[in-house]
Amino acid sequence: MSYTKRFDGRKFDEMRKTEAKIGVIKRADGSAMFKIGDTIAIAAVYGPRKLHPRFLQNPSKGILRCNYDMASFSVPDRKRPGPSRRSSEISLVTAKSLSPVLDLSKHPNAVIDLFIEITQANAGTRCAGITAASMALAHAGITMKDLVSSISVGKVSDKVVVDLDKEEEDHEEGATDIPIAYSPRTKDFTLLQLDGNVSKKELKEALEMSKKGCEEIYKLQVKTLKDHFKGEGK
Ligand code: UDP
């Protein structure tokens, strides 16, 4: 059977409602919240600060150290607290998707600590985390070539769609999830993962959809940061 109407009534190329906020963790050097539908990510940045233990320091460049976590209460079936293979993988790909816009050579021997906490999860958490993280890095005053915007695209049954929710990811006829991170200014994809099957034509369609989605998210990121800094100047 064809997927003719999305479960929540959205158009196939329509993402869920988004919201963003800067400065949600006052003691951090930079922080941000990004919400897409029911998925909420909070990112906090500390540093650049001296990396310890010293033997890990690199005199030619600093490191971005990311820690992604999903709160136990973020999903209806309590998630086991603490790190997992999934959280390690997401931490790694998050750091990799953000590194291309940073110039870590500016921070020798240093670490930029990035913490991402998912307080509510309804799919697309790694993407929401990356979007929040890129705003938190900018808020912390880290020099960046661009922001990174992130969205998941994919296929539900036979349809290419943007921003799958959990119900769609669990579709009985199968779903393909393609988390994307994109730097709108340089037009580079900084993350592309694929869980499922797609044809070349469907992948092309999905990537075009993801660019459109990321550009929309980018506008919100820029506006939120600008509004925040304007408010601070008053
Ligand atoms: N999820 C869950 N428990 C877990 C891990 C994931 O209920 O321990 C749900 C959660 O809603 C999450 C979704 O499964 O957003 C999809 O997880 P996935 O690993 O595909 O990453 P995401 O789409 O969140 O980036």
Side-chain angles (χ1 to χ4, degrees), residues 3-16 36 122-124 151-178 195 209:
Y3 188 53
T4 49
K5 199 167 178 299
R6 294 184 83 170
F7 292 132
D8 61 3
R10 275 182 289 154
K11 292 190 211 115
F12 294 116
D13 63 349
E14 183 183 347
M15 66 173 86
R16 292 172 286 181
I36 184 157
N122 186 358
I151 189 103
S152 128
V153 279
K155 204 172 89 172
V156 180
S157 181
D158 60 337
K159 283 286 182 330
V160 174
V161 303
V162 72
D163 187 28
L164 285 73
D165 63 16
K166 182 74 177 135
E167 204 182 351
E168 288 184 323
E169 277 192 357
D170 295 341
H171 193 280
E172 56 180 10
E173 283 168 23
T176 300
D177 183 24
I178 314 172
D195 181 10
M209 233 185 228

Side-chain angles (χ1 to χ4, degrees), residues 92-109:
L92 188 82
V93 298
T94 298
K96 280 188 185 285
S97 71
L98 292 163
S99 296
V101 300
L102 303 176
D103 182 1
L104 292 169
S105 66
K106 280 196 158 54
H107 310 293
N109 301 318

Side-chain angles (χ1 to χ4, degrees), residues 112-201:
I112 299 171
D113 272 311
L114 164 64
F115 298 92
I116 296 170
E117 191 67 35
I118 304 301
T119 55
Q120 195 167 279
N122 186 358
T125 64
R126 74 193 65 203
C127 297
I130 292 167
T131 299
S134 125
M135 287 190 287
L137 287 164
H139 181 222
I142 311 286
T143 310
M144 296 165 82
K145 286 186 219 146
D146 195 9
L147 290 165
V148 174
S149 315
S150 183
I151 189 103
S152 128
V153 279
K155 204 172 89 172
V156 180
S157 181
D158 60 337
K159 283 286 182 330
V160 174
V161 303
V162 72
D163 187 28
L164 285 73
D165 63 16
K166 182 74 177 135
E167 204 182 351
E168 288 184 323
E169 277 192 357
D170 295 341
H171 193 280
E172 56 180 10
E173 283 168 23
T176 300
D177 183 24
I178 314 172
I180 294 287
Y182 181 68
S183 158
R185 200 170 63 81
T186 62
K187 302 198 184 311
D188 288 326
F189 286 102
T190 64
L191 172 78
L192 194 163
Q193 293 186 286
L194 199 154
D195 181 10
N197 294 304
V198 274
S199 68
K200 199 168 160 184
K201 184 171 162 280

